[in-house]
Each structure stands twice: as C-alpha cells, then as structure tokens.
C-alpha cells in the first residue's frame, strides 16, 4: 500500500493461491483515483463491483472493447464468430483445408498482435496453424487478411470476438482514455490483451499523461494456455512498463499438508507461519461418502453429473455449478429427446448419437484438417454426451420410459446456483479463485490430460489442490485404487512449518510385486498426525466377480483374468460406442449387450483387449492429416500416431473397395470401410466421411 499511495510506479504483484491477491487489489483501489478493474470473466465482475469504490468500474476486457466499437460505429456492431473464415474465403483460393488453415493463422496472428511477420514469425505461425504451404507465403498473406478484415468492419461493421480488442488496439480507438488499470489474473492475457491494456493507458505511442498499471498474477495458475494465453505475459508486462515486483508467496488459505501437495506443482507457494497442519486423505471413489459442506472437483463434467445423480438417489441435495454447463446440457436434452411422448431407456445412446452427429462431424472434419481448437471441442462434446446419457438413463430406467420434461426437471435440480445444497460439484476451471473447508478431487488420475499442454495441465493440478482450506481428499477410480498409485506431495521449505513432515513414500508408493495389497502402511507413530491418511485396502476375497463367456473368437472382452467394476466397464464401453469408426463401435456395443442382466459388482475381462480398442480410438481422434493431393483418405496406424494417407482407387464393387497405397493393394469392406479378412483395431481403415462418398459412387 505504501508503493501504491506514495509512488507513481507501475506494480506487479506475483501472488500464489490463497495469498489474498484480489483482496489486496481491491484495497489498492480504495487508495487510488478513477480507473477500471479488469477481471478475467463476467462472473468475477459481478462479485467485484460491490467491493470497489464508485470511481472504479469492474469490467472484462472484451466488454470494454465492445463498448468502444459501439461508440465508434454509426450503426449496430455485427458480431459474427465465423468472420475469420469469411476473410480467408475473400483472400485465399484453395481447398477447405487451406481456407481453414488460413483462418486459423489470421486469428492466431491477431491474438499475437502481429501486424506484419518476419521469417521467424511466419515459421512459428505456420507450425501453430498447421499451414502446409510455404511459411513465407504468410508474410504477405496475413497483412492482406488484416486489410480485408478491416474493410469488412468499415463497410458492414462486421467483427468477431478477437476484433473487440484488435480493432481498438490497431485503429487507435480509446487511446490513453483510462488513467488507471487494475488487472487481475494477468497470467491469462494473450499478447493482444496485453497490448489493449497498454493502449488504453497511453503506454504505447506518445501521450502527455499516460496512465498507471497495477497487475496481479501467478504463472503457476495459468490454466488458459489452450485459449492463447501468453506464457510470458507477466514477464512481458513487467518489463514493458518497468514495474516493481512485489511477491505474495504465503498462502493464508491452505494448511501445511495441502501446501506440501501443492508444492509438487509450484515451488513458490509457502504455508503461513503457524498454519494448521491440515489433512490430506487418499480414498476410493467407489466407497467415498460426502457430508454437508463438501465440494467435489473433477477435470471433466461427466463424472460430476454421475456422482450428483448417485447422491440425489440417497437424498443428498447437490448443486453442479456453471451456467454455461447447464445451458449446454439443456440445449442437448432439448435436441436429443422427443418433444412429445416418451422415449425408451434402451434408445438413449442412439438418440444422443443422432443429436450429436451433426455437431461432431464438422468438428471431426476440422480436427482432421489440423484444427487444435476443434480437437478440444470434440473432446468436450463427448464429455457432454456422457452427461446427457446419464440424465436420460436415470429418468427412464424405472419404467423403461421417460420424457423430455422429466429430464429437464432433473437437470434443473442438478445444475443450480444453490448455496444451501449439501454437496457442491464443479470442474477445476470453474473453481478457480474459490475456496472451501473440505475439497475432494474426484479421479485425480484424469490429470494431467494427455491432450492438454503439459505446462497448463500442471497449473490445473495446482489450482485443484489449492482450493482446500482444511481437508483435501483424493478419490481414486477402481484401477488406480487397486494398486494404491497415489498422488505424490512436494517438499516444504526447510525453514517453514511447525515440524518436519516426513516423506510418505513407503506408504504411498506402488506396492512391489510380492507385497500384499491389503497390507497396512508402515507409519512412524510420532509423525502420524502430520502425514496423509492412507486407508487399508479391502481383502481380495471381497466382492463377487462375474465370469462370463464371450462368443467372439478374436479379441474377446469377457472371460479374462482381470476383475473390473461393472459400472466402470460399462462407462468405458459407452465411450467406445460413440466412436465414428464402425469396428470400435460394434465391438463395444456387442460387449454392452453381453453384459445385459449382470448383477455382480465386478466382471472378469481381457483388459489388454479393451485397452487396445481404447488406444485405437485415442489415436483416431488426433489423426495426422494427409499432405496436399488427391485420392481416397485411408487411416494407417504408425506407432503412436494415426496418419491419414491418400490411396488410389482401383475398383469398387458391391462388396469391396480395392485401393492402392504405395506398393500395397488393400481390399476394404464396402459396408464398414474395414479391411476384408483381417480387420483389427490397429489395421488400416477408410475414413467414415470418405466411405459415404464411395458408397454413393
């Protein structure tokens, strides 16, 4: 506060989780004059405005940018999400794939605030946009697209989300109009967003009275790298304005044990002097119990919806947070289930698939073209599909039928802003900036996500762990729990903490081949109070395991030596049953049929066969697109990758499709697109979209 009150310096606060960064920034606002508090999202804005002095307005950057555009435009601003593709179509000639890459390149160039490109930037942009032409073409193409995009704005007032900041920053709208900017979550700023803030303050160009910048952030909590956030945002801003850096490294939220686990992902965070020891527990998700005040976090939404439904069945009131999630599921149910009359319980999967196909197919096409955003959106869509299935199943399983009204009513009971609910369930991203006494991380083995950025995924784990004020619980799935492969802690600084915290490696490590899974961990009694609680596993002679016969001679699922929970097996098969490739889908659907009527809690399976089909599906979702050219798109597995290669058509008959791929001649079934006489998960197959075209020829 002394620096804020008594100097005119720009200030950077590096603040760890629970250090009181927002409280500090709000307090600073009361010592300063007129300005704008830039929050990262609209939900934070609504919470902040009541805490700020009247002279300080809370807004998001894009809301501020939209106001500037509205003030400049003589008529209404035409917001269009597809503007980048329109600009590409007016600037570039080529295939759909070329236009998609050009649109991606222009959007990335704007977020990077690149008005022109040098050769190095062109190469970087070509790599990120998966531009398969010569990188030097982008040196002239991007400025041309800037010009076309500008003309669309001038003639039609046409803009997209990026333009809300791009147009003011590049055309001078609102320059030096803000005397003071307080910026929260600055680690999540893209280069364009950084430039926009500096532009508003008059810190770019020459202005008589530039404004002052005070910004707060923590690179260890940068969980929006996927949306274009600049990894070096904090460092760039600090050096751009010569800001004084003040550290807030002490967490007043998290107890010592929680801080110790957080330090596995950040060595900046420290416990407060005299902080309570706290408690970290490792439990089985299957046997976990929840009491009033519990909060459950998960990397994805489907496990949260499923747990919420289970708790509701036990008369536990729940609330799954997120207006965006509720809206998306509401639209999904309205699009999936018939408006009039009932739907059958056993038709739910087909109904969900029929609704999502028009949404998933374009994403799959764009993903095949190399669109990373589409790949992420497709993954999120599959997560939504599981949520829709769970809700539809619950309302129809009692009598075998349900209605859309029943499903929407259940959704309203699940997704509600109810602070009085017994248990709150939320994704990690929606939990950022919040805290609760007892937090359970459901299925920590889902983190880090294999499709995510490693640095971002580490930040996601750090954010998840640091929501707990007293007790942190890791609730593992059956497979991870069976081997006690638990999350590992970090190490507290030697001078911190009330007493040394011994490493729990002997208790938390994966048991050796000869160790009994049910053996109690060896813990030093003197240190027991400060160590993570590691419950003893149940004896092997516990639940009954169903031994079933699988009539499929090749790669059977049932009848193996590995027991797996029935519910978990069904969930994994349902995920495979949503794949576009017919071989994977049919194998999973047949497995679900064979499981009909099973009541035992566990089923013995051939686990390597299930994992083989799942690996084939994972690789198919991120297939490497083909080089430019013409031909029939054939998917070929090559080690850890699936590549789309172009084959030459030899002959198409009523039963078969013969193709030449390099020196090989391959024969595919015309109905399924799979190899004739030898199809397997990792064998070549024809893309479903390509197969439909061939079938129609």
């Amino acid at each position: 506060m002394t620096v804020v009150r008594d100097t005119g310096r720009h200030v950077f606060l590096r603040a760890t989780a629970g250090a009181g960064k927002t409280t500090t920034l709000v307090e600073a606002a009361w010592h300063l004059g007129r300005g704008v508090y830039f929050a990262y999202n609209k939900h934070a804005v609504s919470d902040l405005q009541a805490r700020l002095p009247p002279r300080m307005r809370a807004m998001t950057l894009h809301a501020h940018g939209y106001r500037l555009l509205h003030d400049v435009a003589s008529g209404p601003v035409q917001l269009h999400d597809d503007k980048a593709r329109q600009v590409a179509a007016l600037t570039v000639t080529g295939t759909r794939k070329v236009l998609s890459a050009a649109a991606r390149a222009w959007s990335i160039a704007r977020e990077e605030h690149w008005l022109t490109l040098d050769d190095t930037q062109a190469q970087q942009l070509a790599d990120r946009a998966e531009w398969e032409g010569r990188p030097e073409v982008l040196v002239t193409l991007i400025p041309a697209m800037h010009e076309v995009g500008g003309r669309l704005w001038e003639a039609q007032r046409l803009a997209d989300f990026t333009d809300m900041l791009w147009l003011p920053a590049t055309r001078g709208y609102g320059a030096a109009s803000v005397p003071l900017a307080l910026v929260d979550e600055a680690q999540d700023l893209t280069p364009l967003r950084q430039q926009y803030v500096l532009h508003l303050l008059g810190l770019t160009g020459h202005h008589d009275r530039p404004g002052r910048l005070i910004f707060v952030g923590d690179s260890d909590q940068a969980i929006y790298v996927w949306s274009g956030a600049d990894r070096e945002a904090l460092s760039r801003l600090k050096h751009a304005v010569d800001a004084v850096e003040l550290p807030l490294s002490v967490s007043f939220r998290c107890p010592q044990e929680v801080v110790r686990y957080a330090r596995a992902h950040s060595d900046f965070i420290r416990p407060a002097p005299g902080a309570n020891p706290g408690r970290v527990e490792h439990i089985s998700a299957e046997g976990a119990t929840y009491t009033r005040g519990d909060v459950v976090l998960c990397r994805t939404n489907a496990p949260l919806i499923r747990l919420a439904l289970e708790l509701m069945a036990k008369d536990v009131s729940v609330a799954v947070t997120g207006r965006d999630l509720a809206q998306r599921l509401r639209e999904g149910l309205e699009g999936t289930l018939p408006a009039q009359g009932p739907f059958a319980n056993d038709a739910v999967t087909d109904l969900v698939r029929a609704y999502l196909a028009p949404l998933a197919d374009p994403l799959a096409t764009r993903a095949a073209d190399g669109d990373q955003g589409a790949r992420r959106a497709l993954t999120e869509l599959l997560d939504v599909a599981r949520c829709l299935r769970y809700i539809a199943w619950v309302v129809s399983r009692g009598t075998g039928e349900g209605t859309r009204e029943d499903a929407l009513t259940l959704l309203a009971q699940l997704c509600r802003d109810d602070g009085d609910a017994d248990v709150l369930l939320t994704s990690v991203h929606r939990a950022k900036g919040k805290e609760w006494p007892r937090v359970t991380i459901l299925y920590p083995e889902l983190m880090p996500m294999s499709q995510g950025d490693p640095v971002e995924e580490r930040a996601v784990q750090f954010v998840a762990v640091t929501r707990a004020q007293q007790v942190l619980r890791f609730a593992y799935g059956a497979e991870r729990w069976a081997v006690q492969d638990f999350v590992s802690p970090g190490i507290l600084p030697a001078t911190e903490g009330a007493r040394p915290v011994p490493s729990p490696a002997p208790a938390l490590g994966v048991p050796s081949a000869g160790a009994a899974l049910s053996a109690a961990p060896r813990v030093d009694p003197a240190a027991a109070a400060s160590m993570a609680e590691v419950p003893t596993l149940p004896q092997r002679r516990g639940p009954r395991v169903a031994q079933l016969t699988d009539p499929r001679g090749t790669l059977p699922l049932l009848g193996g030596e590995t027991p797996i929970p029935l519910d978990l097996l069904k969930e994994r098969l349902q995920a495979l049953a949503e794949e576009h490739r017919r071989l994977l889908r049919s194998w999973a659907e047949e497995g679900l049929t064979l499981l009909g009527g099973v009541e035992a809690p566990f089923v013995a399976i051939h686990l390597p066969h299930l994992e083989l089909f799942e690996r084939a599906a994972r690789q198919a979702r991120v297939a490497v697109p083909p080089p430019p050219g013409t031909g029939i798109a054939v998917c070929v597995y090559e080690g850890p990758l699936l590549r789309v290669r172009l084959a030459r058509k030899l002959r198409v008959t009523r039963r078969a499709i013969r193709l030449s791929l390099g020196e090989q001649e391959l024969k595919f079934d015309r109905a399924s697109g799979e190899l004739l006489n030898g199809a397997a998960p990792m064998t070549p197959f024809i893309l479903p979209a390509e197969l439909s075209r061939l079938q129609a020829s």
Side-chain angles (χ1 to χ4, degrees):
M1 292 307 128
T2 300
V3 173
V4 167
R5 287 192 308 262
D6 301 342
T7 78
R9 294 287 303 273
H10 305 293
V11 180
F12 164 44
L13 288 174
R14 183 187 178 189
T16 192
K21 63 181 179 60
T22 303
T23 300
T24 304
L25 208 56
V26 168
E27 175 67 18
W30 287 90
H31 295 273
L32 297 166
R34 182 176 61 87
V36 181
Y37 188 124
F38 286 115
Y40 193 79
N41 56 48
K42 59 184 179 182
H43 305 302
V45 167
S46 60
D47 294 336
L48 279 166
Q49 191 60 67
R51 301 169 58 188
L52 294 169
R55 59 184 177 273
M56 187 71 62
R57 182 68 184 273
M59 301 183 73
T60 65
L61 287 171
H62 287 84
H64 191 279
Y66 179 77
R67 286 194 174 192
L68 286 180
L69 293 185
H70 186 271
D71 291 342
V72 169
S74 56
V77 176
Q78 305 290 332
L79 290 178
H80 203 305
D81 292 339
D82 207 32
K83 180 179 177 178
R85 288 178 176 270
Q86 294 184 42
V87 170
L90 293 170
T91 314
V92 184
T93 57
T95 64
R96 183 194 68 243
K97 185 175 181 180
V98 171
L99 295 178
S100 296
R104 287 197 301 274
W106 188 52
S107 294
I108 294 171
R110 285 183 293 162
E111 281 294 347
E112 291 290 341
H113 197 252
W114 287 339
L115 286 80
T116 59
L117 305 179
D118 58 29
D119 291 341
T120 300
Q121 291 169 333
Q123 183 63 61
Q124 293 174 358
L125 185 58
D127 292 340
R128 290 175 60 186
E130 299 194 20
W131 171 264
E132 294 186 352
R134 291 180 293 112
E136 54 266 29
V137 171
L138 296 174
V139 174
T140 55
L141 176 60
I142 293 301
M145 295 184 77
H146 288 331
E147 183 179 350
V148 172
R151 289 204 302 266
L152 288 175
W153 163 249
E154 293 167 356
Q156 303 176 27
R157 294 310 186 195
L158 184 67
D160 60 9
F161 188 72
T162 306
D163 273 342
M164 293 181 191
L165 306 184
W166 170 258
L167 291 171
T170 56
R171 291 173 173 255
Y173 305 155
S177 61
V178 175
L180 169 69
L182 306 183
V183 182
D184 206 348
E185 306 290 3
Q187 75 278 350
D188 295 325
L189 297 180
T190 66
L192 173 60
R193 298 175 192 190
Q194 299 167 42
Q195 184 68 21
Y196 182 79
V197 172
L198 298 178
H199 166 75
L200 293 179
L201 292 170
L203 294 172
T204 58
H206 301 284
H207 299 279
D208 294 336
R209 301 182 64 183
R212 186 181 185 189
L213 175 63
I214 299 176
F215 60 107
V216 181
D218 180 13
S219 57
D220 292 330
Q221 298 181 70
I223 64 174
Y224 292 101
V225 173
W226 61 270
S227 63
D230 180 9
R231 298 181 192 278
E232 304 298 325
L234 299 176
S235 176
R236 291 184 203 279
L237 276 176
K238 176 186 171 183
H239 289 97
V241 300
D242 189 27
V244 57
E245 179 177 343
L246 301 173
L248 294 175
S249 61
V250 176
S251 177
F252 296 95
R253 171 194 303 157
C254 303
Q256 291 183 47
E257 268 300 278
V258 172
V259 169
R260 188 162 69 98
Y261 274 78
R263 283 181 65 86
H265 313 293
S266 168
D267 57 7
F268 180 62
I269 187 172
R270 296 169 178 269
N276 292 327
R279 192 166 77 248
V280 174
E281 301 175 1
H282 300 271
I283 62 175
S284 165
E286 185 178 0
T289 59
Y290 299 91
T291 60
R292 183 170 177 78
D294 276 349
V295 174
V296 184
L297 309 183
C298 190
R299 187 66 175 86
T300 56
N301 292 302
L304 296 173
I305 293 292
R306 179 175 178 176
L307 175 59
L309 292 168
E310 292 174 353
L311 293 175
M312 285 181 66
K314 300 175 182 177
D315 293 325
V316 177
S317 65
V318 299
V320 182
T321 66
R323 295 185 183 93
D324 52 344
L325 174 63
Q327 179 63 27
R328 192 166 190 184
L329 294 182
R330 186 179 303 108
E331 294 172 353
L333 291 172
E334 291 173 346
T336 297
L337 305 178
Q340 302 296 329
F343 62 88
N345 180 268
D346 57 7
V348 167
T349 297
D350 291 336
L351 288 171
V352 172
R353 184 182 298 137
Y355 165 68
L356 291 178
L359 303 175
D361 289 347
L363 288 174
T365 300
R366 288 169 53 195
D369 289 343
D371 191 329
Q372 294 289 349
R375 290 176 181 174
R376 186 182 185 97
L378 188 59
T379 300
E380 293 175 351
L381 196 62
L382 294 175
D383 185 41
V384 169
R386 295 186 182 96
C387 296
L388 297 176
R389 283 204 317 271
Y390 292 151
I391 295 171
W393 277 337
V394 166
V395 299
S396 60
R397 68 186 176 190
T399 62
E401 290 184 340
T403 67
R404 180 201 286 185
E405 184 179 358
D406 294 335
L408 291 174
T409 300
L410 178 59
L411 175 63
Q413 294 172 335
L414 286 171
C415 298
R416 56 193 177 116
D417 293 326
D418 190 347
D420 194 46
D422 291 331
V423 179
L424 180 70
L425 303 99
T426 178
S427 71
V428 178
H429 282 77
R430 288 194 296 270
K432 191 170 185 294
K434 300 177 181 178
E435 58 188 28
W436 299 277
R438 192 166 93 143
V439 173
T440 300
I441 299 179
L442 184 62
Y443 303 137
E445 58 265 35
L446 293 178
M447 299 184 287
M449 291 183 70
S450 58
Q451 293 181 339
D453 176 88
V455 176
E456 179 187 12
E457 289 299 313
R458 182 183 182 188
V460 170
Q461 292 173 280
F462 177 72
V463 168
V465 168
T466 53
R467 300 309 95 192
Q469 297 170 304
Q470 298 172 14
V471 178
L472 174 65
R473 303 195 304 171
F474 296 98
Y476 302 88
E479 293 183 13
R480 188 64 65 90
W481 179 250
V483 295
Q484 287 197 305
D485 184 9
F486 295 158
V487 174
S488 299
I491 301 174
L492 288 174
T495 58
E496 305 276 357
R499 57 177 177 272
V501 182
S503 170
L508 298 185
V510 178
S512 63
L517 286 176
S518 59
R522 290 175 294 175
V523 180
D524 180 1
S530 63
M531 291 190 64
E533 296 185 3
V534 185
T536 302
L537 282 172
Q539 294 292 331
R540 281 281 188 183
R541 59 176 181 269
R544 185 162 50 91
V545 179
Q547 296 288 347
L548 304 177
T549 301
D550 196 321
R552 294 171 290 186
T554 304
L555 297 176
L557 171 67
L558 307 174
E561 298 180 352
T562 304
I564 183 172
L566 177 62
D567 288 345
L568 177 61
L569 176 59
K570 286 183 176 179
E571 184 172 337
R572 292 170 69 170
L573 290 176
Q574 285 291 353
L576 279 173
E578 294 174 358
E579 295 296 329
H580 291 283
R581 186 180 172 192
R582 184 179 296 187
L583 178 72
L584 309 183
R585 192 168 67 243
S586 299
W587 186 83
E589 290 172 344
E590 290 170 5
L592 288 168
T593 300
L594 293 171
L595 291 173
V598 175
E599 297 182 355
F602 283 74
V603 179
I605 68 166
H606 295 278
L607 183 60
H609 296 172
L610 175 60
E611 292 177 340
L612 178 65
F613 277 84
E614 289 176 330
R615 181 157 61 92
R618 284 196 303 271
Q619 291 179 220
R621 295 190 203 112
V622 289
V624 179
T630 59
I632 308 301
V634 176
C635 295
V636 180
Y637 289 92
E638 298 180 358
L641 300 176
L642 177 73
R643 296 185 183 275
V644 181
R645 300 202 175 278
L646 299 177
R648 182 167 57 90
K649 181 170 67 175
L650 298 177
R651 187 180 180 188
V652 178
T653 66
R654 290 184 178 180
R655 181 170 179 264
I657 299 172
R658 290 176 55 202
L659 302 176
S660 175
L661 184 63
E663 298 180 355
Q664 287 184 299
E665 182 176 320
L666 303 174
K667 186 181 292 187
F668 297 90
D669 179 75
R670 181 169 174 170
S672 66
E674 299 289 343
L675 280 180
L676 278 174
N677 305 321
M682 309 298 283
T683 55
F685 64 95
I686 301 175
L687 277 174
E690 192 80 355
L691 180 63
S692 298
R693 186 174 65 84
L694 287 171
Q695 290 169 339
S697 64

